Amino acid sequence: MAAVATCGTGAGSTGSMVAAGGKNNVTSFQRRGPRASGSDSSYSRLVSIAGTRPSVRNGQLLVSTGLPALDQLLGGGLAVGTVLLIEEDKYNIYSSLLFKYFLAEGIINGHTLLVASAKEDPADILQELPAPLLDDNVKKDFDEDACNHKTAESNIKMKIAWRYQLLPKMEQAGPVSSSRFGHYYDASKKMPQELIEASKWHGFFSPEKSSSTLNIEPCSLTHGYIKLLQFIQNIIYEEGFDGSNPQKKQKNILRIGIQNLGSPLWGDDICCTENGNSHSLTKFLYVLRGLLRTSLSACMITMPTHLIQNKAIISRVTNLSDTVVGLESFIGSERETNPLYKDYHGLIHIRQIPRLNNLIYDVSDVKDLAFKLKKKLFTIEWVQDNYLRQERNIYPPGFSYLLKQKDSAWGEGSLQHSTFLMSFLAKATAFASRLVRHSEPLEQTGSGRALQAAGPRLWRDGRRQEAPGLLVTPP
Amino acid sequence: MFPELNNLLNTTPDRAEQGKLTLLCDANTDGSFLVHHFLSFYLKANCKVCFVALIQSFSHYNIVGQKLGVSLTVARECGQLVFLEGLKSSVDVFFRAQAEPHPLQFLREANAENLQPLYEFVREALKPVDDGEAAWRCPVLLVDDLSVLLSLGMGAVAVLDFIHYCRATVCWERKGNIVALVHDSGDTEDEENNILLNGLSHQSHLILRAEGLPTGFCRDVHGQLRILWRTPSQPTTQRDRSLTYQYKIQDKSVSFFAKGMSPAVL
């Protein structure tokens, strides 16, 4: 099936790219001209930072978000110097999981962490990070050379689906350094204590810091945001992430994670009233992005956008962020019982991907994505896979159907998948076709290249046949 | 600059018009390729450009400019380009009190009334050279983008005033051009943005509106561009001319075609 094929090549190409990356931390798609500076010596310096790789398209330095599936959807990873905004799902279950994956990835790669939260103490957040998947029971099944020659391993066969055959190689002793780009995590186990203690992290817990005095004139930012910006700027300057301090040659990435930004716990009232302080959050994001652009850091923010009363703020926040991903969980919604979404826990919407240093950007063709959290792994799949598996029972091939573009279960209704779907479903028009009940000629859906003609045997015995509703048209 | 867009707009760098306000607008899609087009167009037309870049960093525009055939570093060094990098300056303004007024001073203030420091900066940057001979053809102000100013606490009226002052100085007094990008929020009720967009639409001579396709994402057609020529000062006895094209953005250029005539479909 075409869908499976594209996903397969996608995973395969990531594997090959990462396999090459694992060898000497530089992919074969090496491009000149990184974002930060132009000289070759600093380019090699940048490339040698653990846990990063240059982007294939524009040489941008990328870090992993902690979920290899999400990395692939974002065009290889999160670019250093940018903001990834996660729109939280309704009960903040999966977004906090993504947050933890992001931080865990930083610990595994040896990055410095900056964790900011108004709800939980950062030390507690770090205790709850998921454990990396160890591969002592794993045999790698590569198409090409194994990415880690140095660790000759056991030959136990792996019994996980073929997509997950590339699992990280973790060294047990000392600070964990892995030459892989993205890692997989076991959500049911906690990260080992020694890894957390070996990592370098800074925590910002908003209730604790609110008592100290300000040295900025009161602008329209709320108190919590001002303190957080000062804290971040302090860390960046003190530890040399912005390159301004000649004594400290920083060769590391600062991963900033901010949880529940915009919630009332930060002192912001945009989630409470519609006419609240509408500029505080947007100003904060602007200055934060300024800080990120001039330093070796990457930031993930989770924001409860479903609580924001004033919808204009959401669009402004989206314009001020670089990458925006929305999570929608099925808990409590009517989609939970929809057979279309069986096995999935929610939808993931890639709302915005930045065009950095480029006119074009890496966008996956696949738009309707769903995620599920099986016991160990958080996986993201094209929902059509499931659809096509299940819906063949409801829409057997051999009949012609009217495909609704708007208000369909797909959400966006892209030109591409409707054409694909029609071509898939309309397999054998030679068979007797029963038409869905309709009163006008068939609407041309899709790109219009294939003319959706009325099927044969519409008119039978001089009278127009109407099929008993195979597809119930909603009122 | 994109040669195909020049053909559609019926201009070349040699025959660039003067005294015009061009409004760039995007709805449901990213219209930044238009900003890159005009930046490289006016640099190639030998105009003095003041670029107020509030959204991205200098290196971003530089790298894209190199693909389009202009070098921003060279232009900046020889004085053709005055670049205000919003992101970098915002950090300086916000954390350290500045001695003299900074164009982005409103970031520090709780209730900034107007954008006068920014206007002063633009006026200073596009001041004609004193020795009399015109080294550059005409001054151009490029703003990317104005909707960010709304997010940073300025009201729509303050931004409209700023553009009005700039128009008086740059377009009328010095016979230059202004190009500004505004996001169209579409369904979301961003009233301030709508006020700004409507106000600017009535003042501008040329409106380029990049929209996403109403049917959603497509790999071969990235969006639709509406071009509207207006004469704001005269009563509309004649109809404003409007054209619509669809486009696909490639690595170094953008290809335009009539609606439905995408090479992928034909």
Side-chain angles (χ1 to χ4, degrees), chain A residues 405 415 418-419 444-449:
Chain A
Q405 281 273 46
L415 279 174
S418 65
T419 332
Q444 297 299 317
T445 58
S447 66
R449 183 175 9 184

Side-chain angles (χ1 to χ4, degrees), chain B residues 6 8 18 20 34 40 63 73 92 102 114 117 119-120 128 136 139 210 225 232 244 253:
Chain B
N6 281 345
L8 295 181
Q18 291 190 320
K20 302 284 178 203
L34 294 169
S40 54
I63 293 178
T73 31
D92 294 330
H102 191 276
N114 51 27
Y119 164 68
E120 302 283 342
W136 313 111
L225 182 70
T244 307
S253 68

Side-chain angles (χ1 to χ4, degrees), chain A residues 217-219 221 229 233 279 282-283 286 289-291 293 312 316 355 357-358 360 365 367 413-414 416, chain B residues 30 54-56 60 64 67 86-87 91 94 107-110 150-153 190 215 217 219 249 251:
Chain A
E217 306 161 9
C219 44
L221 282 171
L229 277 176
Q233 195 253 352
H279 300 127
T282 43
K283 250 193 198 179
Y286 189 78
R289 218 154 136 253
L291 277 174
R293 284 288 198 271
R316 286 182 185 178
R355 299 172 196 243
N357 301 337
N358 227 324
I360 46 181
D365 290 341
K367 289 291 165 184
S414 74
Q416 273 191 281
Chain B
D30 188 10
L54 299 172
I55 281 286
Q56 299 283 6
H60 167 84
V64 181
K67 295 191 184 194
L87 288 173
V91 174
F94 191 79
L107 280 174
R108 280 184 78 89
E109 296 160 12
L150 296 178
S151 307
L152 293 177
D190 195 345
T215 43
F217 167 73
R219 199 172 36 186
I249 304 178
D251 191 37

Side-chain angles (χ1 to χ4, degrees), chain A residues 342-358:
Chain A
K342 196 175 77 156
D343 297 337
Y344 291 119
H345 292 120
L347 295 179
I348 184 163
H349 307 279
I350 310 284
R351 299 213 200 270
Q352 183 172 281
I353 297 184
R355 299 172 196 243
L356 294 167
N357 301 337
N358 227 324

Side-chain angles (χ1 to χ4, degrees), chain A residues 342-386:
Chain A
K342 196 175 77 156
D343 297 337
Y344 291 119
H345 292 120
L347 295 179
I348 184 163
H349 307 279
I350 310 284
R351 299 213 200 270
Q352 183 172 281
I353 297 184
R355 299 172 196 243
L356 294 167
N357 301 337
N358 227 324
L359 285 171
I360 46 181
Y361 59 146
D362 277 317
V363 59
S364 78
D365 290 341
V366 175
K367 289 291 165 184
D368 305 303
L369 299 156
F371 64 86
K372 60 183 162 196
L373 181 63
K374 290 259 175 88
K375 350 178 250 219
K376 286 190 178 188
L377 295 169
F378 189 101
T379 63
I380 302 179
E381 278 177 11
W382 191 33
V383 78
Q384 260 79 327
D385 280 347
N386 210 24

Side-chain angles (χ1 to χ4, degrees), chain A residues 132-142 156-168 183-187 189 372 374-379 381:
Chain A
L133 265 176
L134 304 173
D135 60 350
D136 36 7
N137 301 331
V138 164
K139 178 208 166 193
K140 282 167 198 48
D141 189 10
F142 292 143
I156 306 173
K157 276 224 182 309
M158 188 166 63
K159 297 203 169 65
I160 307 180
W162 60 275
R163 287 181 188 183
Y164 307 118
Q165 60 198 4
L166 302 171
L167 284 183
H183 300 90
Y184 295 94
Y185 295 94
D186 184 351
K189 298 203 192 104
K372 60 183 162 196
K374 290 259 175 88
K375 350 178 250 219
K376 286 190 178 188
L377 295 169
F378 189 101
T379 63
E381 278 177 11

